[in-house]
Amino acid sequence: MRSSWEQTWGLVANVMATRSRCALTKVGAVIVDKDNRVVATGYNGPPGPMKALPPGNCTTFCPRAYDNRGGSYSNCVSIHAEANALLFCDRREREGGTMYVTSVPCWDCAKLIANSGLSAVYFPEPGDSEAHRDPARSIELLQRSQLHVVFKGVSWMHG
């Protein structure tokens, strides 16, 4: 059976998450235009120009990995998947398009998505592990910003 576009892009976002070096949460994102063509992908990770990072996960270079302060990202060097994907494409390419993300966007990423020109965002139903991100607040912002917000069961990302 042929997979739907939702399933296809959910799988792509899930594969992108595997690129993350984060020891706490691996997140992937993919942006497609209104014709379902890939515009950009992203995953959470340190800035590209950070040279000579030790191999392995972020516990060797990121203070948040071993000093998680109640979910705060203030001491994390990584850029979130959603922000990375938005950074690597032109607004004109993504306008009217859709972002698929492997978790509920945090407040800061929700603000970026809300102002991105995208028309829809897909992600799994919020879980207990995401409570520190205040998913209801992010979801409300996205919906109030005229984005079509679609929650899917986790299975949509795994085929």
Side-chain angles (χ1 to χ4, degrees), residues 2-10 35-37 100:
R2 186 177 189 195
S3 64
S4 69
W5 283 121
E6 291 175 10
Q7 292 167 324
T8 300
W9 302 131
D35 296 318
N36 271 310
R37 301 288 180 214
Y100 296 83

Side-chain angles (χ1 to χ4, degrees), residues 33-158:
D33 68 13
K34 59 186 179 297
D35 296 318
N36 271 310
R37 301 288 180 214
V38 174
V39 174
T41 59
Y43 56 90
N44 56 322
M50 283 184 75
K51 301 290 184 203
L53 291 176
N57 67 31
C58 66
T59 56
T60 58
F61 60 85
C62 180
R64 182 174 184 262
Y66 51 84
D67 183 25
N68 187 2
R69 297 181 187 167
S72 171
Y73 299 103
S74 63
N75 63 343
C76 178
V77 300
S78 286
I79 300 163
H80 289 188
E82 303 93 325
N84 259 329
L86 290 167
L87 282 168
F88 282 94
C89 64
D90 187 291
R91 182 184 179 94
R92 291 170 292 197
E93 293 176 311
R94 68 178 177 250
E95 282 187 340
T98 302
M99 179 182 279
Y100 296 83
V101 190
T102 61
S103 70
V104 179
C106 71
W107 177 248
D108 287 335
C109 287
K111 291 187 292 185
L112 294 174
I113 295 166
N115 199 42
S116 68
L118 293 168
S119 64
V121 60
Y122 283 67
F123 46 81
E125 292 279 350
D128 292 338
S129 66
E130 295 172 313
H132 71 282
R133 300 180 119 197
D134 196 1
R137 183 177 179 217
S138 295
I139 292 165
E140 179 185 10
L141 175 67
L142 293 167
Q143 290 173 329
R144 289 184 65 201
S145 300
Q146 307 304 308
L147 272 101
H148 180 65
V149 177
V150 182
F151 308 106
K152 301 301 264 182
V154 174
S155 62
W156 74 279
M157 295 184 308
H158 302 286

